[in-house]
Coordinates of all heavy atoms in Angstrom, one line a residue:
E130 N 12.5 -71.2 45.3 CA 13.9 -71.1 45.0 C 14.1 -69.8 44.3 O 13.3 -69.4 43.4 CB 14.3 -72.2 44.1 CG 15.8 -72.5 44.1 CD 16.3 -73.4 45.2 OE1 15.4 -74.0 45.9 OE2 17.5 -73.5 45.3
A131 N 15.2 -69.0 44.7 CA 15.5 -67.7 44.1 C 17.0 -67.7 43.7 O 17.8 -68.2 44.4 CB 15.1 -66.6 45.1
V132 N 17.3 -67.0 42.6 CA 18.6 -66.8 42.2 C 19.3 -65.7 43.0 O 18.7 -64.6 43.3 CB 18.7 -66.4 40.7 CG1 20.1 -66.2 40.2 CG2 18.0 -67.5 39.9
I133 N 20.6 -66.0 43.4 CA 21.3 -65.0 44.2 C 22.7 -64.7 43.5 O 23.1 -65.5 42.7 CB 21.5 -65.4 45.6 CG1 22.3 -66.7 45.7 CG2 20.2 -65.6 46.3 CD1 22.7 -67.1 47.1
R134 N 23.3 -63.6 43.9 CA 24.6 -63.3 43.4 C 25.7 -63.9 44.4 O 25.4 -64.2 45.5 CB 24.8 -61.8 43.4 CG 23.8 -61.1 42.4 CD 24.1 -59.6 42.4 NE 23.2 -59.0 41.4 CZ 22.0 -58.5 41.6 NH1 21.5 -58.7 42.9 NH2 21.3 -58.0 40.7
P135 N 26.9 -64.1 43.9 CA 28.0 -64.7 44.7 C 28.1 -64.0 46.1 O 28.3 -64.6 47.1 CB 29.2 -64.6 43.9 CG 28.7 -64.5 42.5 CD 27.4 -63.8 42.5
E136 N 28.0 -62.6 46.1 CA 28.3 -61.9 47.3 C 27.1 -62.1 48.3 O 27.2 -61.6 49.5 CB 28.5 -60.4 47.0 CG 27.3 -59.7 46.4 CD 27.4 -59.7 44.8 OE1 28.1 -60.6 44.3 OE2 26.7 -58.9 44.2
Q137 N 26.0 -62.7 47.9 CA 24.9 -62.9 48.8 C 24.9 -64.3 49.5 O 24.0 -64.6 50.2 CB 23.6 -62.8 48.0 CG 23.3 -61.3 47.6 CD 22.0 -61.2 46.7 OE1 21.8 -62.0 45.8 NE2 21.2 -60.3 47.1
R138 N 26.0 -65.0 49.2 CA 26.1 -66.3 49.9 C 26.7 -66.1 51.3 O 27.8 -66.5 51.6 CB 27.0 -67.3 49.1 CG 26.4 -67.6 47.7 CD 27.2 -68.7 47.1 NE 26.8 -70.1 47.6 CZ 27.5 -70.8 48.4 NH1 28.6 -70.3 48.9 NH2 27.0 -72.0 48.9
T139 N 25.9 -65.4 52.1 CA 26.4 -65.0 53.5 C 25.3 -65.3 54.5 O 24.1 -65.4 54.2 CB 26.7 -63.5 53.6 OG1 25.5 -62.8 53.3 CG2 27.7 -63.2 52.5
L140 N 25.7 -65.4 55.7 CA 24.7 -65.6 56.8 C 23.8 -64.4 57.0 O 22.6 -64.6 57.3 CB 25.5 -65.9 58.1 CG 24.6 -66.2 59.4 CD1 23.7 -67.4 59.1 CD2 25.5 -66.4 60.6
S141 N 24.3 -63.2 56.8 CA 23.5 -62.0 57.0 C 22.4 -62.0 55.9 O 21.2 -61.6 56.2 CB 24.4 -60.8 56.9 OG 25.1 -60.7 55.7
F142 N 22.7 -62.4 54.7 CA 21.6 -62.5 53.7 C 20.6 -63.5 54.0 O 19.4 -63.3 53.9 CB 22.2 -62.7 52.3 CG 21.2 -62.8 51.2 CD1 20.6 -61.7 50.7 CD2 20.8 -64.0 50.7 CE1 19.6 -61.7 49.7 CE2 19.9 -64.1 49.7 CZ 19.3 -62.9 49.2
L143 N 21.0 -64.7 54.5 CA 20.1 -65.7 54.9 C 19.2 -65.2 56.0 O 18.0 -65.5 55.9 CB 20.9 -67.0 55.4 CG 20.1 -68.1 56.0 CD1 19.2 -68.7 54.9 CD2 21.1 -69.2 56.6
R144 N 19.7 -64.5 56.9 CA 18.9 -64.0 58.0 C 17.8 -63.0 57.5 O 16.7 -63.0 57.9 CB 19.8 -63.3 59.0 CG 20.6 -64.2 59.9 CD 21.6 -63.4 60.8 NE 20.8 -62.6 61.7 CZ 20.9 -62.6 63.0 NH1 21.7 -63.5 63.6 NH2 20.3 -61.8 63.8
Q145 N 18.2 -62.2 56.5 CA 17.2 -61.3 55.9 C 16.1 -62.0 55.3 O 14.9 -61.6 55.5 CB 17.9 -60.4 54.9 CG 18.9 -59.4 55.4 CD 19.7 -58.7 54.3 OE1 19.2 -58.6 53.2 NE2 20.9 -58.2 54.6
V146 N 16.4 -63.1 54.6 CA 15.3 -63.8 53.9 C 14.4 -64.5 55.0 O 13.2 -64.5 54.8 CB 15.9 -64.9 53.0 CG1 14.8 -65.8 52.4 CG2 16.7 -64.2 51.8
V147 N 15.0 -65.1 56.0 CA 14.2 -65.7 57.1 C 13.3 -64.7 57.7 O 12.1 -65.0 57.9 CB 15.2 -66.3 58.1 CG1 14.4 -66.7 59.4 CG2 16.0 -67.5 57.6
E148 N 13.8 -63.5 58.0 CA 12.9 -62.5 58.6 C 11.7 -62.1 57.7 O 10.6 -61.8 58.1 CB 13.7 -61.3 58.9 CG 14.7 -61.5 60.1 CD 15.7 -60.4 60.4 OE1 15.9 -59.6 59.4 OE2 16.3 -60.4 61.5
R149 N 12.0 -62.1 56.4 CA 10.9 -61.7 55.4 C 9.8 -62.8 55.4 O 8.6 -62.6 55.3 CB 11.5 -61.4 54.1 CG 12.3 -60.1 54.0 CD 13.2 -60.1 52.9 NE 12.6 -59.9 51.6 CZ 13.2 -59.7 50.5 NH1 14.6 -59.8 50.5 NH2 12.6 -59.5 49.3
I150 N 10.3 -64.1 55.4 CA 9.3 -65.2 55.5 C 8.5 -65.1 56.8 O 7.3 -65.3 56.8 CB 10.1 -66.5 55.3 CG1 10.7 -66.6 53.9 CG2 9.1 -67.7 55.6 CD1 11.6 -67.9 53.8
Y151 N 9.2 -64.8 57.9 CA 8.5 -64.8 59.2 C 7.5 -63.7 59.2 O 6.4 -63.8 59.8 CB 9.6 -64.6 60.3 CG 8.9 -64.8 61.7 CD1 8.5 -66.0 62.1 CD2 8.8 -63.7 62.5 CE1 7.9 -66.1 63.4 CE2 8.2 -63.8 63.7 CZ 7.7 -65.0 64.2 OH 7.1 -65.1 65.4
S152 N 7.8 -62.6 58.5 CA 6.9 -61.5 58.4 C 5.6 -61.9 57.7 O 4.5 -61.6 58.1 CB 7.5 -60.3 57.7 OG 8.5 -59.7 58.5
A153 N 5.8 -62.7 56.7 CA 4.6 -63.2 55.9 C 3.8 -64.2 56.8 O 2.5 -64.2 56.8 CB 5.0 -63.9 54.7
L154 N 4.5 -65.0 57.7 CA 3.8 -65.9 58.6 C 2.9 -65.1 59.6 O 1.8 -65.4 59.8 CB 4.8 -66.7 59.3 CG 5.6 -67.8 58.5 CD1 6.6 -68.4 59.3 CD2 4.6 -68.8 58.0
R155 N 3.5 -64.0 60.1 CA 2.8 -63.2 61.1 C 1.6 -62.5 60.5 O 0.6 -62.3 61.2 CB 3.7 -62.2 61.8 CG 4.7 -62.9 62.8 CD 5.4 -62.0 63.7 NE 4.4 -61.5 64.7 CZ 4.1 -60.2 64.9 NH1 4.7 -59.2 64.1 NH2 3.2 -59.8 65.8
R156 N 1.8 -62.0 59.3 CA 0.6 -61.3 58.7 C -0.5 -62.3 58.4 O -1.7 -61.9 58.6 CB 1.1 -60.7 57.3 CG 1.8 -59.4 57.5 CD 1.9 -58.6 56.2 NE 2.7 -59.4 55.2 CZ 4.0 -59.3 55.0 NH1 4.7 -58.5 55.8 NH2 4.6 -60.0 54.1
T157 N -0.2 -63.5 58.1 CA -1.2 -64.5 57.9 C -1.9 -64.9 59.2 O -3.1 -65.0 59.2 CB -0.6 -65.8 57.2 OG1 0.2 -65.4 56.1 CG2 -1.6 -66.8 56.8
E158 N -1.1 -65.0 60.2 CA -1.7 -65.2 61.5 C -2.7 -64.1 61.9 O -3.8 -64.4 62.5 CB -0.6 -65.4 62.6 CG -1.2 -65.7 64.0 CD -0.2 -65.6 65.1 OE1 0.6 -64.6 65.1 OE2 -0.1 -66.5 66.0
Y159 N -2.3 -62.9 61.7 CA -3.2 -61.8 62.0 C -4.5 -61.9 61.3 O -5.6 -61.7 61.9 CB -2.5 -60.4 61.7 CG -3.3 -59.2 61.9 CD1 -3.5 -58.7 63.1 CD2 -4.0 -58.6 60.8 CE1 -4.3 -57.6 63.3 CE2 -4.8 -57.5 61.0 CZ -5.0 -57.0 62.2 OH -5.8 -55.9 62.4
L160 N -4.4 -62.2 60.0 CA -5.7 -62.3 59.2 C -6.6 -63.4 59.7 O -7.8 -63.2 59.8 CB -5.3 -62.5 57.7 CG -6.5 -62.8 56.8 CD1 -7.4 -61.6 56.7 CD2 -6.0 -63.2 55.4
V161 N -6.0 -64.5 60.0 CA -6.8 -65.7 60.5 C -7.4 -65.3 61.8 O -8.6 -65.6 62.0 CB -5.9 -66.9 60.7 CG1 -6.6 -68.0 61.4 CG2 -5.3 -67.4 59.3
C162 N -6.7 -64.7 62.7 CA -7.3 -64.3 64.0 C -8.3 -63.2 63.9 O -9.2 -63.1 64.7 CB -6.2 -63.9 65.0 SG -5.1 -65.3 65.5
E163 N -8.2 -62.3 62.9 CA -9.2 -61.3 62.7 C -10.5 -62.0 62.1 O -11.6 -61.6 62.4 CB -8.7 -60.3 61.7 CG -7.8 -59.3 62.3 CD -8.5 -58.3 63.3 OE1 -9.4 -57.6 62.9 OE2 -8.3 -58.5 64.5

Side-chain angles (χ1 to χ4, degrees):
E130 198 87 8
V132 179
I133 62 175
R134 298 182 177 86
E136 61 269 22
Q137 291 175 313
R138 299 190 79 257
T139 64
L140 182 58
S141 57
F142 179 74
L143 175 63
R144 288 174 60 123
Q145 292 173 25
V146 175
V147 170
E148 288 170 344
R149 290 160 73 177
I150 293 173
Y151 188 70
S152 294
L154 291 172
R155 289 197 69 237
R156 282 196 297 273
T157 308
E158 182 191 44
Y159 175 79
L160 175 64
V161 172
C162 292
E163 281 292 293

